[in-house]
Amino acid sequence: AFRRGGAVSGGHPGMAAYLAYAHARAGEVKEAQEVLQTLRERARETYVPADYLAVVNLGLGHDEEVFAWLERACDERALHLVFLGVDPLFDELRADERFTRVLGKIGLDRG
């Protein structure tokens, strides 16, 4: 579905990020890393939201990178961060103090 989404969207970086996440979670680490590299190269030429790079690193289990990219996404005011407080993709990080700090930085820590 993400491959098809990427094709019909003209190569939207979000579709690539979620494809890489799926590859990583399916144990296809090489494929995920290839997509990550492609996104990094693309980011040198055009805007690729930092939260997409966080998603790929989440799939790969690179927590330090996830938080670095989430912090950067906060700085650039990435659109999809508004869903961070409820996105089940990030459930595994909710107990981490850094996640709470990111939510606070974007104003989603209020109960």
Side-chain angles (χ1 to χ4, degrees):
F2 292 126
R3 279 190 197 98
R4 185 160 169 18
V8 300
S9 70
H12 190 278
M15 291 293 106
Y18 286 98
L19 174 62
Y21 175 88
H23 277 308
R25 291 301 167 127
E28 301 164 354
V29 174
K30 180 181 176 191
E31 291 84 348
Q33 290 173 333
E34 288 172 358
V35 175
L36 178 60
Q37 182 60 33
T38 300
L39 285 172
R40 285 181 177 156
E41 290 170 7
R42 185 173 178 181
R44 290 185 197 122
E45 299 172 14
T46 188
Y47 176 64
V48 174
D51 53 314
Y52 292 157
L53 294 159
V55 166
V56 179
N57 281 287
L58 179 66
L60 289 166
H62 300 160
D63 289 356
E64 295 299 321
E65 290 291 318
V66 172
F67 287 109
W69 285 110
L70 286 177
E71 289 288 338
R72 185 168 174 180
C74 288
D75 294 341
E76 64 187 37
R77 299 177 185 266
L79 174 66
H80 293 101
L81 287 182
V82 299
F83 301 109
L84 191 61
V86 296
D87 188 340
L89 208 64
F90 291 91
D91 282 353
E92 66 192 74
L93 301 179
R94 293 196 191 286
D96 193 305
E97 288 179 20
R98 295 172 294 181
F99 191 79
T100 303
R101 197 167 40 248
V102 169
L103 289 179
K105 191 171 183 179
I106 57 179
L108 295 177
D109 60 339
R110 296 172 186 91

